[in-house]
Amino acid sequence: MKKRITLIVFSVLIIVALYVLYCFNYIPHKKYTNADFNIEAYKSNIDKDNDGIDDQTDILNNANNYVKTNPKYKSKYYNTGYPDDEYGVCTDVVAFALKDAGYDLMVLVNEDIKNNKALYDIDAVDKNIDFRRVKNLKVYFDNNAISLTTDINEIEEWQGGDIVVFKKHIGIISDKRNRKGICFVIHHANPYQIYYEEDILEHRDDIIGHYR
């Protein structure tokens, strides 16, 4: 009887551990595509960098290309603005995704701060770091991007290449979805992250912005 109870307890602990690992994306989640939900992929009518790829697709591709470099999570200041080594943080996923599509956030955010300083909670303007802060990007996208729903259950309104902002985090929406049709996010959250493309939206209650 005692052995049976021990086995049951052990089994329950294993199940709980696997569930926790799954929830935190240490166990990969099955991925679905737009086609699985009869959702048409959004294509932008703008090609900012004239590379023959629309901006929406360009941003998505660039985000994927950036995380393929396997950046290590570390917050550092760079005189170049953009990280020029193997390190990065969440905002760098977005910055490089947009930069390689023709949108230099270091320049654009700095210009927006100069033109709308009252909207930004900044004591001293620093072009090299301001565009790498989530709170500043939130203001910038509020001013310069199309604001979309933050209801993740409106699955057709979420498309690969969109930008999602959380209270203290940011990422690019993936073109992959979970079994409910809710999009994965391409992001860089911490040093312990195994996968850069994760099924996290359902487990967040701090989404404060969704942009295109």
Side-chain angles (χ1 to χ4, degrees):
M1 183 67 177
K2 189 175 181 180
K3 287 184 178 180
R4 185 178 179 184
I5 293 175
T6 301
L7 181 60
I8 292 173
V9 171
F10 181 74
S11 298
V12 169
L13 289 175
I14 290 294
I15 292 171
V16 170
L18 289 173
Y19 176 75
V20 170
L21 289 173
Y22 181 82
C23 287
F24 283 92
N25 284 272
Y26 287 105
I27 296 175
H29 296 197
K30 184 175 180 179
K31 298 177 181 179
Y32 299 83
T33 66
N34 285 338
D36 292 310
F37 302 93
N38 295 315
I39 296 174
E40 184 178 352
Y42 173 79
K43 301 290 183 182
S44 172
N45 58 8
I46 301 172
D47 177 12
K48 176 71 172 177
D49 60 353
N50 297 310
D51 64 350
I53 303 173
D54 73 281
D55 282 356
Q56 190 80 9
T57 304
D58 220 357
I59 291 169
L60 173 63
N61 291 345
N62 295 336
N64 279 316
N65 289 336
Y66 171 72
V67 297
K68 283 178 182 177
T69 66
N70 295 313
K72 298 177 182 178
Y73 191 92
K74 188 175 184 179
S75 181
K76 295 173 59 180
Y77 181 90
Y78 296 88
N79 291 323
T80 55
Y82 290 91
D84 55 4
D85 54 18
E86 61 185 346
Y87 299 105
V89 292
C90 64
T91 50
D92 296 318
V93 177
V94 176
F96 278 107
L98 269 70
K99 182 175 183 288
D100 292 338
Y103 299 91
D104 189 337
L105 285 180
M106 182 169 69
V107 173
L108 295 172
V109 171
N110 183 250
E111 291 176 349
D112 200 56
I113 290 173
K114 289 179 179 178
N115 295 330
N116 303 283
K117 196 167 188 302
L119 299 177
Y120 289 85
D121 182 20
I122 296 176
D123 294 325
V125 176
D126 186 338
K127 182 178 180 180
N128 292 332
I129 192 65
D130 290 337
F131 77 106
R132 298 179 67 223
R133 300 191 190 282
V134 173
K135 65 176 185 177
N136 294 340
L137 290 181
K138 172 69 167 61
V139 177
Y140 176 78
F141 291 129
D142 279 339
N143 292 346
N144 298 278
I146 300 171
S147 292
L148 302 169
T149 181
T150 56
D151 183 349
I152 62 172
N153 295 304
E154 295 180 27
I155 61 173
E156 293 184 356
E157 300 302 314
W158 294 79
Q159 292 274 348
D162 287 354
I163 298 161
V164 60
V165 179
F166 307 94
K167 287 182 180 178
K168 295 182 179 181
H169 189 49
I170 193 168
I172 298 291
I173 295 299
S174 170
D175 59 344
K176 302 300 186 295
R177 299 173 181 269
N178 67 18
R179 60 185 177 83
K180 297 179 182 178
I182 297 171
C183 287
F184 281 55
V185 177
I186 303 166
H187 71 134
H188 196 182
N190 59 68
Y192 312 106
Q193 189 174 343
I194 296 178
Y195 307 104
Y196 294 100
E197 184 180 56
E198 295 184 315
D199 180 13
I200 65 170
L201 288 183
E202 277 190 290
H203 306 290
R204 305 287 301 232
D205 60 0
D206 60 340
I207 300 173
I208 58 174
H210 172 204
Y211 307 95
R212 183 175 298 158

Coordinates of all heavy atoms in Angstrom, one line a residue, residues 34-119:
N34 N -1.5 29.7 -40.7 CA -2.7 30.4 -41.0 C -3.7 29.5 -41.8 O -4.9 29.5 -41.6 CB -2.4 31.6 -41.9 CG -1.8 32.7 -41.1 OD1 -2.0 32.8 -39.9 ND2 -1.1 33.6 -41.7
A35 N -3.1 28.6 -42.7 CA -3.9 27.8 -43.5 C -4.8 26.8 -42.7 O -5.9 26.4 -43.1 CB -3.1 27.0 -44.5
D36 N -4.3 26.4 -41.5 CA -5.0 25.5 -40.7 C -6.3 26.1 -40.1 O -7.2 25.4 -39.7 CB -4.1 25.0 -39.5 CG -3.0 24.1 -40.0 OD1 -3.3 23.2 -40.7 OD2 -1.8 24.4 -39.6
F37 N -6.4 27.4 -40.1 CA -7.6 28.1 -39.6 C -8.2 29.0 -40.7 O -9.1 29.8 -40.4 CB -7.1 29.0 -38.4 CG -6.5 28.3 -37.3 CD1 -5.1 28.1 -37.3 CD2 -7.2 27.7 -36.3 CE1 -4.5 27.4 -36.3 CE2 -6.6 26.9 -35.3 CZ -5.3 26.8 -35.3
N38 N -7.9 28.7 -41.9 CA -8.4 29.4 -43.1 C -8.3 31.0 -42.9 O -9.2 31.7 -43.3 CB -9.9 29.1 -43.3 CG -10.2 27.7 -43.6 OD1 -9.5 27.1 -44.5 ND2 -11.1 27.0 -43.0
I39 N -7.1 31.3 -42.4 CA -6.8 32.8 -42.3 C -5.8 33.2 -43.4 O -4.8 32.5 -43.6 CB -6.1 33.0 -40.9 CG1 -7.1 32.7 -39.8 CG2 -5.6 34.5 -40.8 CD1 -6.6 32.9 -38.4
E40 N -6.1 34.2 -44.1 CA -5.3 34.7 -45.2 C -4.1 35.5 -44.6 O -4.4 36.4 -43.7 CB -6.1 35.6 -46.1 CG -5.2 36.0 -47.3 CD -6.1 36.8 -48.3 OE1 -7.3 36.9 -48.2 OE2 -5.5 37.4 -49.3
A41 N -2.9 35.2 -44.9 CA -1.8 36.0 -44.4 C -1.8 37.4 -44.9 O -2.0 37.7 -46.1 CB -0.5 35.3 -44.8
Y42 N -1.6 38.4 -44.0 CA -1.6 39.8 -44.4 C -0.4 40.2 -45.1 O 0.8 39.8 -44.7 CB -1.8 40.6 -43.1 CG -1.6 42.1 -43.4 CD1 -2.7 42.8 -43.9 CD2 -0.5 42.8 -43.1 CE1 -2.6 44.2 -44.2 CE2 -0.3 44.1 -43.4 CZ -1.4 44.8 -43.9 OH -1.3 46.2 -44.2
K43 N -0.5 40.9 -46.2 CA 0.6 41.4 -46.9 C 0.5 43.0 -47.0 O -0.6 43.5 -47.3 CB 0.6 40.9 -48.4 CG 0.7 39.4 -48.5 CD 2.1 38.9 -48.1 CE 2.2 37.4 -48.3 NZ 3.5 36.8 -47.8
S44 N 1.6 43.6 -46.7 CA 1.6 45.1 -46.7 C 1.7 45.6 -48.2 O 2.3 44.9 -49.0 CB 2.8 45.6 -45.9 OG 2.9 47.0 -46.1
N45 N 1.1 46.7 -48.4 CA 1.3 47.3 -49.8 C 2.5 48.2 -49.8 O 2.7 49.0 -50.8 CB 0.0 48.0 -50.2 CG -0.4 49.2 -49.3 OD1 0.4 49.5 -48.3 ND2 -1.5 49.7 -49.5
I46 N 3.3 48.2 -48.8 CA 4.5 49.0 -48.7 C 5.8 48.2 -48.7 O 5.8 47.1 -48.1 CB 4.5 49.9 -47.5 CG1 3.3 50.8 -47.5 CG2 5.8 50.8 -47.4 CD1 3.1 51.6 -46.2
D47 N 6.8 48.6 -49.4 CA 8.1 47.9 -49.4 C 9.1 49.0 -49.2 O 9.7 49.5 -50.1 CB 8.3 47.2 -50.8 CG 9.7 46.5 -50.9 OD1 10.4 46.5 -49.8 OD2 10.1 46.2 -52.0
K48 N 9.3 49.4 -48.0 CA 10.1 50.5 -47.6 C 11.6 50.5 -48.1 O 12.1 51.5 -48.6 CB 10.2 50.6 -46.0 CG 11.1 51.7 -45.5 CD 10.5 53.1 -45.7 CE 11.3 54.2 -45.0 NZ 10.9 55.5 -45.3
D49 N 12.2 49.3 -48.1 CA 13.6 49.2 -48.5 C 13.7 48.7 -50.0 O 14.8 48.4 -50.4 CB 14.4 48.3 -47.6 CG 13.8 46.9 -47.5 OD1 12.7 46.6 -48.1 OD2 14.5 46.0 -46.9
N50 N 12.6 48.6 -50.7 CA 12.6 48.3 -52.1 C 13.4 47.0 -52.4 O 14.1 46.9 -53.4 CB 13.2 49.4 -52.9 CG 12.4 50.7 -52.8 OD1 11.1 50.7 -53.0 ND2 13.0 51.8 -52.5
D51 N 13.2 46.0 -51.6 CA 13.9 44.7 -51.8 C 13.0 43.7 -52.4 O 13.4 42.5 -52.6 CB 14.5 44.2 -50.5 CG 13.4 43.8 -49.5 OD1 12.2 44.2 -49.7 OD2 13.7 43.2 -48.4
G52 N 11.8 44.1 -52.8 CA 10.8 43.2 -53.5 C 10.0 42.4 -52.5 O 9.2 41.5 -52.9
I53 N 10.2 42.6 -51.2 CA 9.4 41.9 -50.2 C 8.6 43.0 -49.4 O 9.1 44.0 -48.9 CB 10.4 41.2 -49.2 CG1 11.3 40.2 -50.0 CG2 9.6 40.4 -48.1 CD1 12.3 39.6 -49.1
D54 N 7.3 42.7 -49.2 CA 6.5 43.7 -48.5 C 6.9 43.8 -47.1 O 7.5 42.9 -46.5 CB 5.0 43.3 -48.6 CG 4.7 42.1 -47.7 OD1 5.0 40.9 -48.2 OD2 4.2 42.2 -46.6
D55 N 6.6 45.0 -46.5 CA 7.1 45.3 -45.1 C 6.7 44.2 -44.1 O 7.5 43.8 -43.2 CB 6.6 46.6 -44.7 CG 7.4 47.8 -45.3 OD1 8.4 47.5 -46.0 OD2 7.0 48.9 -45.0
Q56 N 5.5 43.7 -44.1 CA 5.0 42.8 -43.1 C 5.8 41.5 -43.2 O 6.3 41.0 -42.1 CB 3.5 42.5 -43.4 CG 2.8 41.7 -42.3 CD 2.4 42.5 -41.1 OE1 2.5 43.7 -41.1 NE2 2.0 41.9 -40.0
T57 N 6.0 41.0 -44.4 CA 6.8 39.8 -44.6 C 8.2 40.0 -44.2 O 8.9 39.2 -43.6 CB 6.6 39.2 -46.0 OG1 5.2 39.1 -46.3 CG2 7.4 37.9 -46.2
D58 N 8.7 41.2 -44.6 CA 10.1 41.5 -44.4 C 10.4 41.6 -42.9 O 11.4 41.0 -42.4 CB 10.4 42.9 -45.0 CG 11.8 43.0 -45.6 OD1 12.5 42.0 -45.6 OD2 12.1 44.1 -46.2
I59 N 9.5 42.2 -42.1 CA 9.7 42.3 -40.7 C 9.7 40.9 -40.0 O 10.6 40.6 -39.2 CB 8.7 43.2 -40.0 CG1 8.9 44.7 -40.5 CG2 8.6 43.1 -38.5 CD1 7.7 45.6 -40.1
L60 N 8.8 40.1 -40.5 CA 8.7 38.7 -39.9 C 10.0 37.9 -40.3 O 10.6 37.3 -39.4 CB 7.5 38.0 -40.5 CG 7.4 36.5 -40.2 CD1 7.2 36.3 -38.7 CD2 6.2 35.9 -41.0
N61 N 10.4 38.0 -41.5 CA 11.6 37.3 -41.9 C 12.8 37.8 -41.2 O 13.7 37.0 -40.8 CB 11.8 37.4 -43.4 CG 10.8 36.7 -44.3 OD1 10.1 35.8 -43.8 ND2 10.7 37.0 -45.6
N62 N 12.9 39.1 -41.0 CA 14.1 39.7 -40.3 C 14.2 39.3 -38.9 O 15.2 39.0 -38.3 CB 14.1 41.2 -40.4 CG 14.2 41.6 -41.9 OD1 14.8 40.9 -42.7 ND2 13.7 42.8 -42.2
A63 N 13.0 39.2 -38.2 CA 12.9 38.7 -36.8 C 13.5 37.3 -36.7 O 14.2 37.0 -35.8 CB 11.5 38.9 -36.3
N64 N 13.0 36.5 -37.6 CA 13.5 35.1 -37.6 C 15.0 35.0 -37.9 O 15.7 34.2 -37.3 CB 12.7 34.3 -38.7 CG 11.3 33.8 -38.2 OD1 11.2 33.4 -37.0 ND2 10.3 34.0 -39.0
N65 N 15.4 35.8 -38.8 CA 16.9 35.8 -39.1 C 17.7 36.2 -37.9 O 18.8 35.7 -37.7 CB 17.1 36.7 -40.3 CG 16.6 36.1 -41.6 OD1 16.4 34.8 -41.7 ND2 16.4 36.9 -42.6
Y66 N 17.2 37.2 -37.2 CA 17.9 37.8 -36.1 C 18.1 36.7 -35.0 O 19.2 36.5 -34.5 CB 17.3 39.0 -35.5 CG 17.9 39.4 -34.2 CD1 19.1 40.0 -34.1 CD2 17.2 39.3 -33.0 CE1 19.7 40.4 -32.9 CE2 17.7 39.6 -31.8 CZ 19.0 40.2 -31.8 OH 19.6 40.6 -30.5
V67 N 17.0 36.0 -34.6 CA 17.0 35.0 -33.6 C 17.8 33.8 -34.0 O 18.3 33.1 -33.1 CB 15.7 34.7 -33.0 CG1 15.0 35.9 -32.4 CG2 14.8 34.0 -34.1
K68 N 18.0 33.6 -35.3 CA 18.8 32.5 -35.7 C 20.3 32.7 -35.4 O 21.1 31.7 -35.4 CB 18.6 32.3 -37.2 CG 17.3 31.6 -37.6 CD 17.2 31.5 -39.2 CE 15.9 30.8 -39.5 NZ 15.7 30.8 -41.0
T69 N 20.6 33.9 -35.1 CA 22.0 34.2 -34.7 C 22.3 33.8 -33.2 O 23.4 33.9 -32.7 CB 22.4 35.7 -34.9 OG1 21.6 36.5 -33.9 CG2 22.1 36.1 -36.3
N70 N 21.2 33.3 -32.5 CA 21.3 32.9 -31.1 C 21.9 34.0 -30.2 O 22.8 33.7 -29.5 CB 22.1 31.6 -31.0 CG 21.4 30.4 -31.7 OD1 20.2 30.2 -31.6 ND2 22.1 29.7 -32.5
P71 N 21.3 35.1 -30.2 CA 21.8 36.2 -29.3 C 21.7 35.8 -27.8 O 20.7 35.1 -27.4 CB 20.9 37.4 -29.6 CG 19.6 36.8 -30.1 CD 20.1 35.6 -30.9
K72 N 22.7 36.1 -27.1 CA 22.7 35.9 -25.6 C 22.0 37.0 -24.9 O 22.3 38.2 -25.3 CB 24.1 35.6 -25.1 CG 24.8 34.4 -25.7 CD 26.2 34.2 -25.2 CE 26.9 33.1 -25.9 NZ 28.3 32.9 -25.5
Y73 N 21.2 36.8 -23.9 CA 20.5 37.8 -23.2 C 21.4 38.6 -22.3 O 22.0 38.0 -21.3 CB 19.3 37.3 -22.5 CG 18.4 38.4 -22.0 CD1 17.3 38.8 -22.8 CD2 18.6 39.0 -20.8 CE1 16.5 39.9 -22.3 CE2 17.8 40.0 -20.3 CZ 16.7 40.4 -21.1 OH 15.9 41.5 -20.7
K74 N 21.6 39.9 -22.5 CA 22.4 40.7 -21.6 C 22.1 42.2 -22.0 O 22.1 42.5 -23.1 CB 23.9 40.4 -21.8 CG 24.7 41.1 -20.7 CD 26.2 40.7 -20.8 CE 27.0 41.3 -19.8 NZ 28.4 40.9 -19.9
S75 N 21.7 42.9 -21.0 CA 21.5 44.4 -21.2 C 22.8 45.2 -21.1 O 23.4 45.2 -20.1 CB 20.5 44.9 -20.1 OG 20.2 46.2 -20.4
K76 N 23.1 45.8 -22.2 CA 24.4 46.6 -22.3 C 24.1 47.9 -23.0 O 23.2 48.0 -23.8 CB 25.5 45.8 -23.0 CG 25.9 44.5 -22.4 CD 26.9 43.7 -23.3 CE 28.1 44.5 -23.6 NZ 29.0 43.8 -24.5
Y77 N 25.0 48.8 -22.8 CA 24.9 50.1 -23.5 C 25.9 50.0 -24.7 O 27.0 49.5 -24.5 CB 25.3 51.3 -22.6 CG 25.2 52.6 -23.3 CD1 24.0 53.4 -23.3 CD2 26.3 53.1 -24.0 CE1 24.0 54.6 -24.0 CE2 26.3 54.4 -24.6 CZ 25.1 55.1 -24.6 OH 25.0 56.3 -25.3
Y78 N 25.5 50.5 -25.8 CA 26.4 50.5 -27.0 C 26.5 51.9 -27.6 O 25.5 52.5 -27.8 CB 25.8 49.5 -28.1 CG 25.8 48.1 -27.7 CD1 24.7 47.6 -27.0 CD2 26.8 47.2 -28.0 CE1 24.6 46.2 -26.6 CE2 26.8 45.9 -27.6 CZ 25.7 45.4 -26.9 OH 25.6 44.1 -26.5
N79 N 27.7 52.3 -27.8 CA 27.9 53.6 -28.5 C 27.4 53.6 -29.9 O 27.2 54.6 -30.5 CB 29.4 54.0 -28.4 CG 29.9 54.3 -27.0 OD1 29.2 54.9 -26.2 ND2 31.1 53.9 -26.7
T80 N 27.3 52.4 -30.4 CA 26.8 52.2 -31.8 C 25.2 52.2 -31.8 O 24.6 52.1 -32.9 CB 27.3 50.9 -32.4 OG1 27.0 49.8 -31.5 CG2 28.8 51.0 -32.6
G81 N 24.6 52.2 -30.6 CA 23.2 52.1 -30.6 C 22.7 50.6 -30.7 O 22.3 50.0 -29.7
Y82 N 22.9 50.1 -31.8 CA 22.5 48.7 -32.1 C 23.7 47.8 -31.5 O 24.8 48.1 -31.7 CB 22.4 48.4 -33.5 CG 21.1 49.0 -34.2 CD1 21.2 50.3 -34.7 CD2 19.9 48.3 -34.2 CE1 20.0 50.9 -35.3 CE2 18.8 48.9 -34.7 CZ 18.8 50.2 -35.3 OH 17.7 50.7 -35.8
P83 N 23.3 46.7 -30.9 CA 24.4 45.8 -30.4 C 25.2 45.3 -31.6 O 24.7 45.0 -32.6 CB 23.5 44.6 -29.8 CG 22.3 45.2 -29.4 CD 22.0 46.3 -30.4
D84 N 26.5 45.3 -31.3 CA 27.5 44.8 -32.4 C 28.2 43.6 -31.9 O 29.3 43.3 -32.4 CB 28.4 46.0 -32.7 CG 29.2 46.5 -31.5 OD1 29.0 46.0 -30.4 OD2 29.9 47.5 -31.7
D85 N 27.7 42.9 -31.0 CA 28.3 41.6 -30.5 C 27.3 40.5 -30.4 O 26.2 40.6 -31.1 CB 29.0 41.9 -29.2 CG 28.1 42.5 -28.1 OD1 26.9 42.4 -28.3 OD2 28.6 43.0 -27.1
E86 N 27.5 39.6 -29.5 CA 26.6 38.4 -29.5 C 25.4 38.6 -28.5 O 24.7 37.6 -28.3 CB 27.4 37.2 -29.1 CG 28.1 37.3 -27.7 CD 29.0 36.1 -27.4 OE1 28.9 35.1 -28.1 OE2 29.8 36.2 -26.4
Y87 N 25.3 39.8 -27.9 CA 24.3 40.0 -26.9 C 23.1 40.8 -27.4 O 23.2 41.4 -28.4 CB 24.9 40.7 -25.7 CG 26.0 39.9 -25.0 CD1 27.4 40.2 -25.2 CD2 25.7 38.8 -24.3 CE1 28.4 39.5 -24.6 CE2 26.7 38.0 -23.7 CZ 28.1 38.4 -23.9 OH 29.1 37.7 -23.3
G88 N 22.0 40.7 -26.6 CA 20.8 41.5 -27.0 C 19.7 41.3 -26.0 O 19.9 40.5 -25.1
V89 N 18.7 42.1 -26.1 CA 17.5 42.1 -25.3 C 16.3 42.1 -26.1 O 16.3 42.0 -27.3 CB 17.5 43.2 -24.3 CG1 18.6 43.1 -23.3 CG2 17.6 44.6 -25.0
C90 N 15.1 42.1 -25.5 CA 13.8 42.0 -26.2 C 13.7 43.0 -27.3 O 13.2 42.8 -28.4 CB 12.7 42.0 -25.3 SG 12.4 43.5 -24.3
T91 N 14.0 44.3 -27.0 CA 13.8 45.4 -27.9 C 14.7 45.2 -29.2 O 14.3 45.7 -30.3 CB 14.1 46.7 -27.3 OG1 15.4 46.7 -26.6 CG2 13.1 47.1 -26.3
D92 N 15.8 44.5 -29.1 CA 16.7 44.3 -30.2 C 16.0 43.4 -31.3 O 16.3 43.5 -32.5 CB 18.0 43.7 -29.8 CG 18.8 44.7 -28.9 OD1 18.8 45.9 -29.2 OD2 19.3 44.2 -27.9
V93 N 15.2 42.5 -30.9 CA 14.5 41.6 -31.8 C 13.6 42.5 -32.8 O 13.7 42.4 -34.0 CB 13.5 40.6 -31.1 CG1 12.7 39.8 -32.2 CG2 14.3 39.7 -30.2
V94 N 12.9 43.5 -32.1 CA 12.1 44.4 -32.9 C 13.0 45.4 -33.7 O 12.7 45.7 -34.9 CB 11.2 45.2 -31.9 CG1 10.3 46.2 -32.7 CG2 10.3 44.2 -31.2
A95 N 14.0 45.9 -33.1 CA 14.8 46.9 -33.7 C 15.5 46.4 -35.0 O 15.5 47.0 -36.1 CB 15.9 47.4 -32.8
F96 N 16.1 45.2 -34.9 CA 16.7 44.6 -36.1 C 15.7 44.1 -37.1 O 16.0 44.2 -38.3 CB 17.6 43.4 -35.7 CG 18.9 43.8 -35.1 CD1 19.3 43.7 -33.8 CD2 19.9 44.3 -36.0 CE1 20.5 44.1 -33.3 CE2 21.2 44.7 -35.5 CZ 21.4 44.6 -34.2
A97 N 14.5 43.7 -36.7 CA 13.5 43.3 -37.6 C 13.0 44.5 -38.5 O 12.9 44.3 -39.7 CB 12.3 42.7 -36.9
L98 N 12.9 45.6 -37.8 CA 12.5 46.8 -38.6 C 13.6 47.4 -39.3 O 13.4 47.9 -40.5 CB 11.8 47.8 -37.6 CG 10.3 47.7 -37.4 CD1 10.0 46.4 -36.7 CD2 9.7 48.9 -36.7
K99 N 14.8 47.4 -38.8 CA 15.9 48.1 -39.4 C 16.2 47.4 -40.8 O 16.4 48.1 -41.8 CB 17.2 48.0 -38.6 CG 18.4 48.6 -39.1 CD 19.6 48.6 -38.1 CE 20.8 49.3 -38.6 NZ 21.5 48.5 -39.7
D100 N 16.2 46.1 -40.8 CA 16.4 45.4 -42.1 C 15.3 45.5 -43.1 O 15.4 44.9 -44.2 CB 16.8 44.0 -41.8 CG 18.2 43.9 -41.1 OD1 19.0 44.9 -41.1 OD2 18.4 42.9 -40.4
A101 N 14.2 46.1 -42.6 CA 13.1 46.3 -43.5 C 13.0 47.8 -44.0 O 12.1 48.2 -44.7 CB 11.7 46.0 -42.9
G102 N 14.0 48.6 -43.5 CA 14.1 50.0 -43.9 C 13.7 51.0 -42.9 O 13.6 52.2 -43.2
Y103 N 13.4 50.5 -41.7 CA 13.0 51.4 -40.6 C 14.0 51.5 -39.5 O 14.1 50.5 -38.7 CB 11.6 51.0 -40.0 CG 10.5 51.0 -41.1 CD1 10.2 49.9 -41.8 CD2 9.8 52.2 -41.3 CE1 9.2 49.9 -42.8 CE2 8.7 52.2 -42.3 CZ 8.5 51.0 -43.0 OH 7.5 51.0 -43.9
D104 N 14.8 52.5 -39.4 CA 15.9 52.6 -38.4 C 15.3 53.2 -37.1 O 15.1 54.5 -37.0 CB 17.0 53.5 -38.9 CG 18.2 53.5 -38.1 OD1 18.1 53.2 -36.8 OD2 19.3 53.8 -38.6
L105 N 14.9 52.4 -36.2 CA 14.3 52.9 -34.9 C 15.2 53.8 -34.1 O 14.7 54.7 -33.4 CB 13.8 51.7 -34.1 CG 12.6 51.0 -34.5 CD1 12.3 49.8 -33.6 CD2 11.4 51.9 -34.6
M106 N 16.5 53.6 -34.2 CA 17.4 54.5 -33.5 C 17.2 56.0 -34.0 O 17.1 56.9 -33.1 CB 18.8 54.1 -33.7 CG 19.8 55.0 -32.9 SD 21.5 54.4 -32.9 CE 22.0 54.6 -34.6
V107 N 17.0 56.2 -35.3 CA 16.8 57.5 -35.8 C 15.3 57.9 -35.6 O 15.1 59.0 -35.2 CB 17.1 57.5 -37.3 CG1 16.7 58.8 -38.0 CG2 18.6 57.2 -37.5
L108 N 14.4 57.0 -35.9 CA 13.0 57.4 -35.9 C 12.5 57.7 -34.5 O 11.8 58.7 -34.3 CB 12.2 56.2 -36.5 CG 12.4 55.9 -38.0 CD1 11.7 54.6 -38.4 CD2 12.0 57.1 -38.8
V109 N 12.9 56.9 -33.5 CA 12.5 57.2 -32.1 C 13.1 58.5 -31.6 O 12.4 59.3 -31.0 CB 12.9 56.0 -31.2 CG1 12.6 56.3 -29.7 CG2 12.1 54.7 -31.6
N110 N 14.3 58.7 -32.0 CA 15.0 59.9 -31.6 C 14.3 61.2 -32.1 O 14.1 62.2 -31.4 CB 16.5 59.9 -32.0 CG 17.2 61.1 -31.5 OD1 17.6 62.0 -32.3 ND2 17.5 61.2 -30.2
E111 N 13.9 61.1 -33.4 CA 13.2 62.2 -34.0 C 11.8 62.4 -33.3 O 11.4 63.5 -33.1 CB 13.0 61.9 -35.5 CG 14.3 62.0 -36.3 CD 14.1 61.6 -37.8 OE1 13.0 61.1 -38.1 OE2 15.0 61.8 -38.5
D112 N 11.1 61.3 -33.0 CA 9.8 61.4 -32.4 C 9.9 62.0 -31.0 O 9.0 62.7 -30.6 CB 9.1 60.0 -32.4 CG 7.6 60.1 -32.2 OD1 7.0 60.8 -33.0 OD2 7.1 59.6 -31.2
I113 N 11.0 61.6 -30.3 CA 11.2 62.2 -28.9 C 11.4 63.7 -29.0 O 10.8 64.4 -28.2 CB 12.4 61.5 -28.3 CG1 12.1 60.0 -27.9 CG2 12.8 62.2 -27.0 CD1 13.2 59.2 -27.4
K114 N 12.2 64.1 -30.0 CA 12.5 65.5 -30.1 C 11.2 66.3 -30.5 O 11.0 67.4 -30.0 CB 13.5 65.8 -31.2 CG 14.9 65.3 -30.9 CD 15.9 65.5 -32.0 CE 17.3 65.1 -31.6 NZ 18.2 65.3 -32.8
N115 N 10.3 65.7 -31.3 CA 9.1 66.3 -31.7 C 7.9 66.2 -30.7 O 7.0 67.0 -30.7 CB 8.6 65.8 -33.0 CG 9.6 66.1 -34.2 OD1 10.3 67.1 -34.1 ND2 9.7 65.2 -35.1
N116 N 8.0 65.2 -29.8 CA 6.9 65.0 -28.9 C 7.5 64.7 -27.5 O 7.0 63.7 -26.8 CB 6.1 63.8 -29.3 CG 5.5 64.0 -30.7 OD1 4.6 64.7 -30.9 ND2 6.1 63.4 -31.7
K117 N 8.4 65.4 -27.0 CA 9.1 65.1 -25.8 C 8.2 65.0 -24.6 O 8.4 64.2 -23.6 CB 10.2 66.2 -25.5 CG 11.2 65.7 -24.4 CD 12.4 66.6 -24.3 CE 13.5 65.9 -23.4 NZ 13.0 65.7 -22.1
A118 N 7.1 65.8 -24.6 CA 6.1 65.7 -23.5 C 5.5 64.3 -23.3 O 5.0 64.0 -22.2 CB 5.1 66.8 -23.7
L119 N 5.5 63.6 -24.4 CA 4.8 62.2 -24.3 C 5.8 61.2 -23.8 O 5.3 60.1 -23.4 CB 4.4 61.8 -25.8 CG 3.4 62.7 -26.5 CD1 3.1 62.2 -27.9 CD2 2.1 62.8 -25.6

